[in-house]
Amino acid sequence: MAPVIHELRNAGSVETRVCVTAQHRHMLDQVLSLFAIQPDFDLDLMKPDQNLADLTAGVLCGMRDLYRRWRPDLVLVQGDTTTTFAASLAAFYENIPVGHVEAGLRTRNKYAPWPEEINRTLTGILCQYHFAPTESARRNLLAEGVEPKSIAVTGNTVIDALRQIVFRFQSDAQLTASLQQRFAYLDPGRRLVLVTGHRRENFGVGFERICQALRNLAERNDVEIVYPVHLNPNVQEPVNRVLSSVKNIHLIEPQEYLPFAFLMQRAYLIITDSGGIQEEAPFLGKPVLLMRDTTERPEAVEAGTVKLVGTEAERIVGEANVLLDNRDSYLETAKAINPYGDGFAAKKIIEFLKLNCAGKARGAAIAGA
C-alpha cells in the first residue's frame, strides 16, 4: 500500500489520511518507517492470543467510529487481511465507497487460504472499484458479475514497493554492505535456500512434514537454509523441535522488509507458503516452490515461476533437488516472465481514480494490517 499512499499524496488534489489497525504490530511499524509513512489514525488492536472474531469486531467498530469522525469520500483497502474485510464492511455500513487494491484473486476454496479467501471475496462484494493485478483476476471478477467499467488491471503494488527497495540496494553501497555484514554467517560457497511458512491450513501435520523436508534437504553439502520463523506458537514449536540442531539450517527471527528483500535477492531458491512472495520472487528471478495445494495466484504457476508442491516431504525435497541439480530446469523457472506488472501499479490506480472520482476532495488510504 505504501506506493499508493505516496502517489495519492503527490497528486495534490486529494486529502489523504492513513489508518492502520496494527493487526500485526511487530511487522507493521518497520514497514511504515522504511517507507516514511506516518499514520494519521492508529487503532492499535494487537492483543495476545486474539482470535479472528475478536479482531473482526475490533476493526469493524474501530473503523465505524473513525468514519463517523472523519468521513472520507473513498476508502482504499488492500489484499485479503481481516482488516481489509472489516474496514470494507464498516465503510459499507456508513455508505462510503470502497476501492480494493489487489482485487480478484481466487482459489474457489473458502478454506484455502483460510481465512484470506473469504476476506478477499467478501471485500470484492462490498467495494465499488476493483484494482486487479492481472487479466486472470479481472476475469474472476467479471465471472462474479462485477461491472466491467469498475475494474482496472494495474499490476500489483507489491512490485512497485520491491522495485523501490532494489533501487536502494543498487544505489546505496553502504546499505548493501551493512546487510552483507548482518548475514555474514552465510557461506558464499553454498547456495542459499530461503524458507518462509506461516499459513494456518498447514498447522499441525503440514508443518511436521515441512520440517522433515527441510531436515532432509539440509543433508546436501552444497546448500544452506535460512528460515525466518514466524512468531505463531503453532509454527515455532515444530520448527524449533525438529530443526534447531540441524547443521546448514539457520533459524532466525522474522525479518523486516528491507533485510528480507536482501535475502530474497541473495537466495538461489525460495520455498514458501506465502502469497506475496509468489509475486516478489519472480520479479527478482528466483524460482519458488509453493507449499500449498492451491493458490489464488495461478498466473505464476502458469508462467512457470512458481511450482505447487504441497506439504509432502518427499515432494518438496524432490522438486528442490530438480532445481538444484538441473541447471536447465532452474533457468527455465528463473527466467520466466513475471506476470504481476511493471512496478508502476500505483500510478495506474491513481489515474483511474482521477478519471472516475472527479470532484471528490478527500480520500482515505487504509493499510491492510
Side-chain angles (χ1 to χ4, degrees), residues 132-160:
T134 64
E135 284 292 340
S136 175
R138 178 179 181 272
R139 289 194 296 271
N140 288 338
L141 292 167
L142 292 173
E144 294 171 2
V146 174
E147 183 69 28
K149 65 181 181 181
S150 71
I151 306 171
V153 178
T154 62
N156 201 313
T157 57
V158 71
I159 303 302
D160 297 31

Side-chain angles (χ1 to χ4, degrees), residues 88-298:
S88 300
L89 183 59
F92 170 74
Y93 285 158
E94 295 298 314
N95 201 28
I96 301 171
V98 177
H100 187 196
V101 178
E102 198 185 70
L105 281 65
R106 300 288 187 270
T107 65
R108 307 300 179 192
N109 180 349
K110 67 178 67 177
Y111 296 107
W114 181 87
E116 288 84 1
E117 175 73 4
I118 286 298
N119 286 342
R120 192 187 296 275
T121 302
L122 294 177
T123 299
I125 294 171
L126 293 165
C127 71
Q128 281 73 18
Y129 304 112
H130 308 259
F131 302 107
T134 64
E135 284 292 340
S136 175
R138 178 179 181 272
R139 289 194 296 271
N140 288 338
L141 292 167
L142 292 173
E144 294 171 2
V146 174
E147 183 69 28
K149 65 181 181 181
S150 71
I151 306 171
V153 178
T154 62
N156 201 313
T157 57
V158 71
I159 303 302
D160 297 31
L162 185 57
R163 180 177 57 83
Q164 294 174 20
I165 295 302
V166 170
F167 177 76
R168 292 194 193 186
F169 293 155
Q170 295 171 342
S171 60
D172 189 338
Q174 185 174 358
L175 171 63
T176 300
S178 69
L179 289 168
Q180 289 172 338
Q181 181 61 37
R182 177 170 180 162
F183 299 107
Y185 56 81
L186 296 177
D187 184 349
R190 293 178 176 175
R191 289 173 290 182
L192 173 61
V193 178
L194 178 62
V195 176
T196 73
H198 69 281
R199 301 224 73 87
R200 290 180 176 88
E201 61 263 33
N202 286 340
F203 289 173
V205 174
F207 264 98
E208 294 288 342
R209 294 170 177 166
I210 289 168
C211 291
Q212 188 57 55
L214 297 177
R215 188 181 183 95
N216 294 345
L217 189 61
E219 294 177 0
R220 296 182 60 123
N221 292 321
D222 61 341
V223 303
E224 61 182 336
I225 297 170
V226 172
Y227 188 170
V229 185
H230 197 279
L231 296 177
N232 191 301
N234 293 291
V235 179
Q236 289 270 333
E237 192 283 324
V239 169
N240 285 298
R241 171 169 45 81
V242 178
L243 301 177
S244 61
S245 62
V246 179
K247 71 171 187 176
N248 298 348
I249 296 182
H250 305 281
L251 302 179
I252 62 176
E253 295 181 352
Q255 297 296 294
E256 298 176 354
Y257 186 65
L258 192 68
F260 186 77
F262 175 81
L263 286 173
M264 283 198 294
Q265 194 171 46
R266 169 77 167 69
Y268 187 83
L269 166 66
I270 299 175
I271 303 177
T272 185
D273 63 8
S274 169
I277 291 175
Q278 297 173 61
E279 299 168 333
E280 294 168 320
F283 178 76
L284 298 172
K286 307 299 180 179
V288 175
L289 297 182
L290 183 62
M291 298 182 294
R292 289 162 60 178
D293 296 318
T294 185
T295 177
E296 69 279 20
R297 293 168 170 86

Side-chain angles (χ1 to χ4, degrees), residues 56-88:
T56 302
V59 176
L60 185 63
C61 294
M63 295 310 301
R64 173 203 61 196
D65 295 343
L66 172 57
Y67 295 150
R68 290 178 178 178
R69 292 201 316 271
W70 186 79
R71 186 175 181 84
D73 297 300
L74 175 69
V75 172
L76 290 178
V77 299
Q78 188 272 337
D80 57 12
T81 65
T82 299
T83 287
T84 293
F85 161 59
S88 300

